[in-house]
Amino acid sequence: MDINTDKYKNITRNLEREMINLNPIQRGGILPTESKKIIYEYWDGYSVCDYCSGRLDQIETPPINEFLEDMSKFLGMDITRPTHGARESKYAVMNSICKEGDYVVLDGNAHYTSYVALERAKLNYEKTDIEEYPTFRVIPESYAEKIDMLEDSKKNIGLILLTHVDGNYGNVADVEKVGKIAKSKGYPFLLNCAYSAGRMPIDGKKLNVDFIAASGHKSMAASGPCGLLSINKKYENEVLETSKVNVLKELQMLGCTSRGIPILSLMASFEHLIERVKKWDLELEKTRKVVNELEPLGFKQIGEKPRNHDIIRFETPILDEIAEKDKRRGFFFYEELKKRGIGGIRRGVTKEFKMSVYGLTNTQVDYVINSMKSIINELR
Amino acid sequence: MDINTDKYKNITRNLEREMINLNPIQRGGILPTESKKIIYEYWDGYSVCDYCSGRLDQIETPPINEFLEDMSKFLGMDITRPTHGARESKYAVMNSICKEGDYVVLDGNAHYTSYVALERAKLNYEKTDIEEYPTFRVIPESYAEKIDMLEDSKKNIGLILLTHVDGNYGNVADVEKVGKIAKSKGYPFLLNCAYSAGRMPIDGKKLNVDFIAASGHKSMAASGPCGLLSINKKYENEVLETSKVNVLKELQMLGCTSRGIPILSLMASFEHLIERVKKWDLELEKTRKVVNELEPLGFKQIGEKPRNHDIIRFETPILDEIAEKDKRRGFFFYEELKKRGIGGIRRGVTKEFKMSVYGLTNTQVDYVINSMKSIINELR
């Protein structure tokens, strides 16, 4: 067997240790110290299962069962289960409450994982309208229209899905309006909170949602892959149906899901999460400062204004201009940022890019702003 | 919000640090030092995705793409994908190649996760016969009978599933015979290698299997949850079908699966795995020694003899006898082992228990044997 394993030795990752990482999919998943400590204890294979009597969500040592109850309180929901991530949470709901061929009505900003989940569950979809350039906001009323249209053509609707915060523009959708429509029409309502739960306060009960799909690695300061599915007890029997052969085991969880360190890292991060969502306003302040300072440079912020989430999408014609005359072409921005210890902006982009300063200190935020300013001013 | 997070602080796990852990589900998942080192680098949320261009299995930095190709060689298969574990691998196969209502023909020793996977995929099953007490071996010929029976009654068979090594008795099934039956009848054949791949040598091509479901946390020295699905290229299009909406994303993987440290721990353990499967004979020697030394004590090994796998199941009437007169009742054995720094045997068991000395040094094995001897001899 000809296998050279040298390449798997001493693999390092400098980005997070040595640089400020502006990648929006990464900023919410950075571990606090207390979570790193717990990883030393639980890194071996099936380590969480030492004192298991058959169900991951019922394990008392470590206190996974209490954690899930506390998480239900944190999210304003009834019942919570660990999953491998938000996509796996969405699929579990779709595969249990929808029938083959049913329609999922979802927002025009839905994440690709909502589509792969529904396609895997052999479902159809109807996409709602969003506002045009440059805001791209979800139009809640479009849900009512699409639902009526599907009902008129005798299509069966299985689920209403809304992306709480989309990953393209960082728009915060009007959950209450969509929830009201779903409720008045009598359909189950799933909120994809991959970019919201763990960053900003969420109260599922108040928002009238039936399911919350949350992501540990994206927004809950947890090691990937890890997520949560929180449900309204109304749907307990359907979503948490147990096996006929092994009556303890839940089918949609395939028995057990997050059987390793990710769930432990999420537990250890819980206090950090509770504290940080209280400071969401301060995060928005930092984000808005970035927009205000960088727009005069020739950047244009796309998506709703002012920012209600830390994801910032900039159109950057000025980078395009510079790339035309710089011998590094489109790579100059990446290279110049790298020199200054800043990473996480896609290599080679000049038309537009996404960034986030979530969780950075004010000093770091100022450093990022000033670095970008100096790059543009020097090279323009 | 009334949440007391004190219980999530300073969670420790003494079992693995301070004790010899005999739990068979844990011995194959213990990390070598090189894997612990990599965890420091990748513990943050979406850390493996720094240089991703859309597909987890194609990431070059860290070299996940090369790793999966090397894994295919290691397992003697064509194509490999990361998954969250063996159960998730099995479900991906069932959900893609079977139609609702199809029958899965599976061995009488199949793991519970094979059932939850097929139930989740809305399939039926037919269980093959196994030998009677005390060997409980899978009877390969029973597959031919069950297949004929289903065919005669016009049932559609979607998959033949065999548990390579079952978790109850640690019997090693005759894969070649079952594979020959599956092939001659023209049905796809999945081998559940949760307890074999990463412990003992496996050559999928030679064994005529179409799918291998492997477990990182159970037998591949990886942090949970993590696994692999290896497939015969004949089934590539079906199992790895991509999304119509996002043509890059594979449906059964929900786009990406093991997006975090578990896959990195598996990569870092790869050299360790390659080396340790070569020493499988030495592991069997240790296991057989345990059986030979402990049976005269009043233990009876259940399952095939001699042992061809490290899982040992003992019937222990002698423990039952002692429990009747010991004031600690059934807990004396657990307590006495604990005193001696040995853990992983279920608390309170007296009728029978399972253990494994996989990966322990000869000195540790002798210590375990002598500890059990002294407990029985002192208390009987």
Side-chain angles (χ1 to χ4, degrees):
Chain A
M1 195 161 38
D2 174 33
I3 297 175
N4 180 348
T5 55
D6 287 348
K7 56 185 170 295
Y8 310 120
K9 285 175 191 160
N10 303 311
I11 293 178
T12 56
R13 177 172 183 251
N14 303 339
L15 187 57
E16 201 58 48
R17 268 194 286 111
E18 297 169 10
M19 299 177 72
I20 294 176
N21 188 352
L22 301 181
N23 189 341
I25 75 157
Q26 307 230 5
R27 292 236 47 86
I30 294 168
L31 261 53
T33 309
E34 50 267 44
S35 302
K36 293 177 177 171
K37 272 165 55 191
I38 214 167
I39 286 177
Y40 296 86
E41 301 280 329
Y42 281 91
W43 45 24
D44 288 319
Y46 256 133
S47 58
V48 304
C49 314
D50 287 335
Y51 306 105
C52 179
S53 48
R55 275 267 293 272
L56 178 71
D57 58 291
Q58 294 173 352
I59 291 175
E60 291 174 13
T61 311
I64 295 177
N65 59 346
E66 292 182 70
F67 170 69
L68 295 171
E69 279 173 29
D70 284 340
M71 260 297 163
S72 295
K73 288 185 203 166
F74 180 68
L75 298 170
M77 298 293 287
D78 296 323
I79 303 165
T80 300
R81 290 286 182 272
T83 65
H84 299 299
R87 63 190 72 187
E88 284 85 355
S89 302
K90 288 183 280 187
Y91 179 70
V93 171
M94 291 171 182
N95 196 50
S96 56
I97 69 163
C98 302
K99 287 187 303 291
E100 186 170 339
D102 275 4
Y103 276 73
V104 176
V105 183
L106 81 180
D107 58 291
N109 286 339
H111 195 248
Y112 86 84
T113 54
S114 297
Y115 293 98
V116 294
L118 70 84
E119 285 183 74
R120 188 190 198 195
K122 304 184 179 86
L123 306 176
N124 292 302
Y125 68 90
E126 185 64 42
K127 203 160 75 168
T128 69
D129 301 328
I130 54 171
E131 289 174 8
E132 286 180 3
Y133 178 94
T135 53
F136 300 109
R137 256 188 304 245
V138 171
I139 301 170
E141 296 73 18
S142 176
Y143 274 88
E145 285 167 30
K146 301 292 179 181
I147 290 169
D148 285 345
M149 194 197 75
L150 288 168
E151 286 179 342
D152 288 348
S153 54
K154 309 280 181 222
K155 307 288 192 196
N156 202 48
I157 297 172
L159 181 69
I160 308 297
L161 186 154
L162 175 64
T163 315
H164 191 190
V165 175
D166 73 275
N168 267 328
Y169 313 108
N171 287 343
V172 181
D174 189 335
V175 185
E176 284 182 87
K177 271 194 192 156
V178 176
K180 234 176 244 172
I181 294 166
K183 204 175 182 184
S184 74
K185 300 276 186 179
Y187 295 116
F189 179 37
L190 183 152
L191 192 64
N192 177 7
C193 295
Y195 269 117
S196 56
R199 276 164 133 113
M200 52 199 278
I202 288 179
D203 187 337
K205 283 263 182 300
K206 219 164 137 183
L207 296 169
N208 264 322
V209 305
D210 296 306
F211 310 101
I212 282 181
S215 170
H217 39 273
K218 223 172 202 170
S219 299
M220 291 185 142
S223 286
C226 184
L228 295 170
L229 171 61
S230 263
I231 70 172
N232 181 325
K233 62 179 176 302
K234 184 176 161 190
Y235 292 96
E236 180 176 7
N237 293 341
E238 274 171 279
V239 177
L240 303 180
E241 185 192 348
T242 53
S243 163
K244 285 183 190 66
V245 181
N246 289 270
V247 292
L248 202 63
K249 311 290 186 177
E250 292 170 346
L251 294 184
Q252 298 307 324
M253 305 297 135
L254 288 174
C256 299
T257 56
S258 193
R259 46 206 187 279
I261 49 178
I263 184 75
L264 267 291
S265 73
L266 182 56
M267 283 165 61
S269 288
F270 194 26
E271 187 177 29
H272 171 75
L273 294 182
I274 292 172
E275 293 308 313
R276 82 186 195 180
V277 301
K278 290 180 192 160
K279 296 178 196 144
W280 180 238
D281 282 353
L282 299 177
E283 293 295 337
L284 292 185
E285 259 177 47
K286 285 187 280 181
T287 300
R288 290 171 183 182
K289 183 178 185 183
V290 172
V291 174
N292 291 337
E293 297 274 338
L294 295 184
E295 282 210 319
L297 221 58
F299 287 5
K300 183 184 176 181
Q301 183 236 300
I302 306 299
E304 64 182 349
K305 274 188 173 184
R307 297 278 65 212
N308 292 313
H309 190 270
D310 58 278
I311 295 176
I312 307 170
R313 186 184 193 113
F314 279 125
E315 278 189 345
T316 54
I318 181 68
L319 297 185
D320 224 14
E321 261 175 53
I322 297 170
E324 273 175 39
K325 54 186 187 183
D326 194 289
K327 65 176 192 297
R328 293 165 297 180
R329 312 303 298 173
F331 297 100
F332 83 93
F333 193 56
Y334 176 87
E335 299 292 341
E336 289 292 331
L337 287 172
K338 195 176 170 186
K339 264 193 224 168
R340 291 164 175 82
I342 297 169
I345 303 288
R346 271 186 106 88
R347 227 173 141 252
V349 296
T350 57
K351 306 276 182 220
E352 57 179 16
F353 69 81
K354 287 192 289 183
M355 62 175 281
S356 163
V357 295
Y358 183 76
L360 295 181
T361 63
N362 287 320
T363 311
Q364 287 174 314
V365 173
D366 288 340
Y367 177 74
V368 169
I369 291 170
N370 293 330
S371 297
M372 290 195 181
K373 278 184 180 172
S374 79
I375 293 169
I376 308 293
N377 289 330
E378 278 167 31
L379 299 175
R380 79 186 314 159
Chain B
M1 196 160 39
D2 173 32
I3 298 175
N4 181 349
T5 55
D6 287 348
K7 55 186 169 293
Y8 310 119
K9 285 175 192 160
N10 304 312
I11 293 178
T12 57
R13 177 173 183 250
N14 303 339
L15 185 58
E16 201 58 49
R17 268 194 289 110
E18 297 169 9
M19 298 175 76
I20 293 176
N21 188 352
L22 301 181
N23 189 341
I25 75 158
Q26 308 231 5
R27 292 237 45 87
I30 294 169
L31 261 54
T33 309
E34 51 267 46
S35 302
K36 292 177 177 172
K37 273 165 56 190
I38 215 167
I39 286 177
Y40 295 87
E41 301 281 328
Y42 282 90
W43 46 24
D44 287 321
Y46 255 132
S47 57
V48 303
C49 313
D50 286 336
Y51 306 105
C52 179
S53 49
R55 275 267 293 271
L56 177 73
D57 58 292
Q58 294 172 353
I59 291 174
E60 292 174 13
T61 311
I64 295 178
N65 59 346
E66 294 182 69
F67 169 70
L68 295 172
E69 279 173 29
D70 284 339
M71 259 300 164
S72 294
K73 289 185 205 165
F74 180 68
L75 297 170
M77 298 293 286
D78 296 322
I79 303 164
T80 300
R81 290 287 183 273
T83 65
H84 299 299
R87 63 189 73 186
E88 285 85 355
S89 302
K90 288 184 279 187
Y91 179 70
V93 171
M94 291 171 182
N95 195 51
S96 56
I97 69 163
C98 301
K99 288 188 303 292
E100 185 170 340
D102 275 2
Y103 277 72
V104 176
V105 182
L106 80 179
D107 57 289
N109 285 339
H111 194 248
Y112 86 83
T113 54
S114 297
Y115 293 98
V116 294
L118 71 85
E119 285 183 76
R120 189 190 196 194
K122 303 181 179 87
L123 306 176
N124 292 303
Y125 68 90
E126 185 64 42
K127 204 160 72 167
T128 69
D129 300 329
I130 55 171
E131 290 174 7
E132 287 180 2
Y133 178 93
T135 55
F136 299 110
R137 256 187 306 242
V138 171
I139 302 170
E141 296 73 19
S142 177
Y143 275 88
E145 284 167 30
K146 302 293 179 180
I147 290 169
D148 285 344
M149 194 196 76
L150 289 167
E151 286 178 344
D152 288 348
S153 54
K154 308 281 181 221
K155 306 288 190 196
N156 202 49
I157 296 171
L159 182 68
I160 308 297
L161 187 154
L162 174 65
T163 314
H164 192 189
V165 175
D166 73 275
N168 268 327
Y169 314 107
N171 289 343
V172 181
D174 189 335
V175 185
E176 285 183 85
K177 272 196 193 156
V178 176
K180 234 176 246 173
I181 294 166
K183 206 177 182 184
S184 73
K185 301 275 188 180
Y187 296 116
F189 178 39
L190 184 152
L191 192 64
N192 177 8
C193 295
Y195 268 117
S196 56
R199 276 166 133 112
M200 51 199 277
I202 288 180
D203 186 337
K205 284 262 181 302
K206 220 164 133 183
L207 296 170
N208 264 322
V209 306
D210 296 305
F211 310 101
I212 281 181
S215 170
H217 39 272
K218 222 171 202 172
S219 298
M220 291 185 141
S223 287
C226 185
L228 295 170
L229 171 61
S230 264
I231 70 171
N232 182 324
K233 62 176 175 305
K234 184 176 162 191
Y235 292 96
E236 181 175 8
N237 293 342
E238 275 172 279
V239 176
L240 303 179
E241 186 193 349
T242 54
S243 163
K244 283 181 191 67
V245 181
N246 290 270
V247 292
L248 202 64
K249 311 291 186 177
E250 291 169 348
L251 295 184
Q252 298 307 325
M253 306 296 135
L254 289 173
C256 299
T257 55
S258 192
R259 47 205 186 281
I261 49 178
I263 183 76
L264 266 292
S265 73
L266 182 56
M267 284 165 62
S269 289
F270 194 25
E271 187 178 28
H272 171 75
L273 294 182
I274 292 172
E275 293 309 314
R276 82 184 194 182
V277 301
K278 292 179 192 160
K279 296 178 196 143
W280 181 237
D281 283 352
L282 298 177
E283 292 297 337
L284 292 185
E285 261 178 43
K286 285 188 278 182
T287 301
R288 291 170 183 181
K289 183 178 184 182
V290 171
V291 174
N292 291 337
E293 296 274 336
L294 295 184
E295 282 209 320
L297 221 60
F299 288 4
K300 182 183 177 180
Q301 182 236 299
I302 305 300
E304 65 182 349
K305 274 188 173 185
R307 296 279 65 213
N308 292 312
H309 190 270
D310 58 278
I311 295 175
I312 307 169
R313 186 184 191 114
F314 279 125
E315 279 187 346
T316 53
I318 181 69
L319 297 185
D320 225 15
E321 261 174 52
I322 297 171
E324 272 175 40
K325 54 189 186 181
D326 195 289
K327 65 177 188 300
R328 292 165 296 180
R329 314 300 300 173
F331 298 99
F332 83 92
F333 193 55
Y334 177 88
E335 300 291 341
E336 289 293 330
L337 287 172
K338 195 175 169 187
K339 263 192 222 166
R340 290 163 174 83
I342 298 170
I345 303 289
R346 273 186 105 88
R347 225 173 142 254
V349 295
T350 55
K351 305 276 182 219
E352 57 179 15
F353 69 82
K354 286 192 290 183
M355 64 175 281
S356 163
V357 295
Y358 183 75
L360 295 180
T361 63
N362 287 320
T363 311
Q364 287 174 315
V365 173
D366 288 340
Y367 177 74
V368 169
I369 290 170
N370 292 330
S371 297
M372 289 194 181
K373 278 185 181 174
S374 79
I375 293 168
I376 307 294
N377 288 330
E378 278 168 32
L379 299 175
R380 79 186 312 161

